[in-house]
Amino acid sequence: MQAATLVSTPTLTQRLLDKHRHDAEDALQQVALAVLQQEGIRSDSVLRVQRIAALAPSVACVVTLAEWLAYVDWEGLDSALYANIAAVAALITGELQLPDVAANLLQARDADVFEAQRPALATAALLFIEGHIALFP
């Protein structure tokens, strides 16, 4: 008898990372959106922030960061610096291990420096997702 070969089907997150690998921030946004959809967390939910915080800590980190980066795009860095910045900076420092990026946000608040650091931030987030892939859809 021949042994059955087990073929692992890639998860949704793995497929999203593969598909959007050329654009790390887009991949991050797509993974965050998949989490929100899987968990039924809608943008009009009054409990949105609490529901995101209740996710596994690694997943909540990714969703929080993705939402903050989207906020930067919508409202600009100046406004985003007042939207949950302490939590975002803590995630960037602790989970993503990019203390220089977090320090820039909290101290210098320099948009040009942030934009220069943004690709590294998105890449670090993807590496973080890959390191915790089992927690994602």
Side-chain angles (χ1 to χ4, degrees), residues 1-109:
M1 274 176 56
Q2 196 173 17
T5 304
L6 294 175
V7 177
S8 176
T9 303
T11 65
L12 174 59
T13 298
Q14 289 167 327
R15 291 191 313 267
L16 289 170
L17 292 177
D18 289 343
K19 181 177 181 182
H20 299 279
R21 177 98 28 217
H22 63 281
D23 184 342
E25 194 165 336
D26 188 36
L28 172 63
Q29 294 296 335
Q30 294 298 321
V31 170
L33 180 60
V35 169
L36 294 172
Q37 288 175 339
Q38 176 184 316
E39 297 296 326
I41 302 173
R42 297 187 324 257
S43 61
D44 62 348
S45 173
V46 179
L47 302 175
R48 183 179 178 88
V49 173
Q50 292 88 344
R51 294 210 41 218
I52 291 170
L55 298 170
S58 299
V59 176
C61 168
V62 167
V63 173
T64 300
L65 178 61
E67 291 212 327
W68 187 81
L69 288 171
Y71 191 85
V72 169
D73 290 339
W74 296 325
E75 300 294 335
L77 182 62
D78 290 340
S79 293
L81 289 172
Y82 296 98
N84 207 14
I85 190 59
V88 170
L91 296 171
I92 292 169
T93 297
E95 303 295 336
L96 302 182
Q97 300 179 1
L98 295 171
D100 293 343
V101 175
N104 173 58
L105 291 174
L106 293 173
Q107 296 166 3
R109 298 174 177 246

Side-chain angles (χ1 to χ4, degrees), residues 102-122:
N104 173 58
L105 291 174
L106 293 173
Q107 296 166 3
R109 298 174 177 246
D110 186 318
D112 292 333
V113 172
F114 173 72
E115 287 302 321
Q117 294 172 330
R118 195 169 172 160
L121 177 59

